Amino acid sequence: MDWMVRVFGFVPRYFINIYANNEVIACGLHESDGTLKIIFTPSHKHAYHRLKSIGTSKVENEHAQKTPIDLHPYKNPLIYSFSPSVAEGVTLQVLATYKGRSFLNQISSPYITVKAETIDLENVMHYDGTYIEWHRAEKYKPMIYFLLLLDRNKNSIAGVYMTGTSWKVGSYNNVALIVGDLKRIESCANLASVELMLIDFEGWVSHRAALLLNHPTLEGSSIRAPTLKGRSDVAL
């Protein structure tokens, strides 16, 4: 999906959905304790997930070992993860088999380059009851922003991929790709918090932030990020 967003950002979401259905949507990050996680959204059409290390030559790639992946829920039930033992600078790819196909049944994720860290940001998101906004992060050169929507139990509801810096909660407009089901939000009643991930052009989450939403349906939801001054287009 990376080149679709990069080159064909104007393409209707319908066509991006078709393309995304034929690849593994994945990226990499470090947890706050330093644990490496490759996270991805599984599909009922995909099976036999495995990991491949990308070599420096065509011969290395053709003979690369493909290791079966032991999956674990990351933000259940939408996102799963695994923790490979690889060094910084290694480039990985998640492979899967497209069930029911006899031709071109192997699909893959974009390349993911393991980097030194994922930085947690604070006070960069704001929710006004209708829109979730965040600072534009051009100095970090993100390919795309990923909003992960969570319920009160911290289970994932949906994920929204965007190139902009403002999203009207529940809206399908100005969204590159949606995973999960936005209909579960039901006027925000089920939506308790949001996580923002900045994904760079090498499939790595360079920065992330979290926001607990403050609306009447939540108990004890007194945490709220400060209002952003003016439009949310200043550098982080």
Side-chain angles (χ1 to χ4, degrees), residues 153-184:
N153 297 317
K154 297 185 178 180
N155 290 323
S156 53
I157 299 174
V160 180
Y161 288 89
M162 298 191 63
T163 55
T165 59
S166 177
W167 180 60
K168 183 178 181 181
V169 174
S171 173
Y172 289 82
N173 296 329
N174 302 319
V175 172
L177 180 69
I178 296 170
V179 292
D181 186 7
L182 285 184
K183 294 179 181 178
R184 286 187 53 211

Side-chain angles (χ1 to χ4, degrees):
M1 188 182 66
D2 52 354
W3 63 270
M4 287 286 285
V5 174
R6 206 180 319 184
V7 182
F8 298 108
F10 59 87
V11 175
R13 189 175 64 249
Y14 173 77
F15 296 104
I16 295 179
N17 276 321
I18 292 176
Y19 182 82
N21 192 46
N22 289 278
E23 75 165 17
V24 180
I25 302 174
C27 60
L29 58 84
H30 279 305
E31 294 284 32
S32 56
D33 64 359
T35 302
L36 170 63
K37 291 284 181 69
I38 304 298
I39 63 174
F40 66 98
T41 304
S43 167
H44 68 280
K45 297 179 181 179
H46 303 167
Y48 185 38
H49 290 86
R50 50 214 184 271
L51 181 67
K52 176 183 177 182
S53 294
I54 305 302
T56 57
S57 69
K58 183 176 180 180
V59 173
E60 286 180 347
N61 288 337
E62 288 176 349
H63 295 87
Q65 183 178 2
K66 301 175 181 64
T67 308
I69 294 172
D70 185 15
L71 302 182
H72 300 279
Y74 179 71
K75 299 292 183 180
N76 193 50
L78 185 63
I79 298 179
Y80 278 69
S81 72
F82 60 97
S83 298
S85 298
V86 297
E88 178 186 345
V90 172
T91 299
L92 305 172
Q93 197 170 32
V94 181
L95 308 179
T97 299
Y98 199 111
K99 294 189 293 186
R101 276 188 188 172
S102 57
F103 179 67
L104 296 177
N105 65 340
Q106 179 172 283
I107 59 175
S108 61
S109 72
Y111 293 156
I112 301 168
T113 300
V114 177
K115 300 189 177 182
E117 60 183 354
T118 295
I119 299 173
D120 289 317
L121 301 171
E122 296 182 354
N123 300 334
V124 297
M125 302 176 68
H126 170 64
Y127 174 61
D128 66 3
T130 302
Y131 286 88
I132 297 171
E133 297 180 308
W134 56 96
H135 291 298
R136 185 173 296 279
E138 289 304 319
K139 71 177 182 179
Y140 300 134
K141 296 180 173 57
M143 176 186 72
I144 198 165
Y145 302 101
F146 178 55
L147 283 179
L148 181 59
L149 314 177
L150 305 171
D151 64 17
R152 302 184 194 195
N153 297 317
K154 297 185 178 180
N155 290 323
S156 53
I157 299 174
V160 180
Y161 288 89
M162 298 191 63
T163 55
T165 59
S166 177
W167 180 60
K168 183 178 181 181
V169 174
S171 173
Y172 289 82
N173 296 329
N174 302 319
V175 172
L177 180 69
I178 296 170
V179 292
D181 186 7
L182 285 184
K183 294 179 181 178
R184 286 187 53 211
I185 294 177
E186 298 175 356
S187 301
C188 305
N190 297 325
L191 182 59
S193 61
V194 179
E195 292 186 8
L196 172 68
M197 299 183 187
L198 280 59
I199 305 175
D200 67 21
F201 284 90
E202 295 179 295
W204 183 257
V205 178
S206 62
H207 298 75
R208 62 182 176 180
L211 178 65
L212 178 62
L213 303 188
N214 185 14
H215 54 72
T217 61
L218 301 180
E219 296 178 2
S221 56
S222 59
I223 300 176
R224 184 168 182 166
T227 301
L228 305 182
K229 302 299 182 183
R231 296 184 59 83
S232 55
D233 56 1
V234 297
L236 288 169

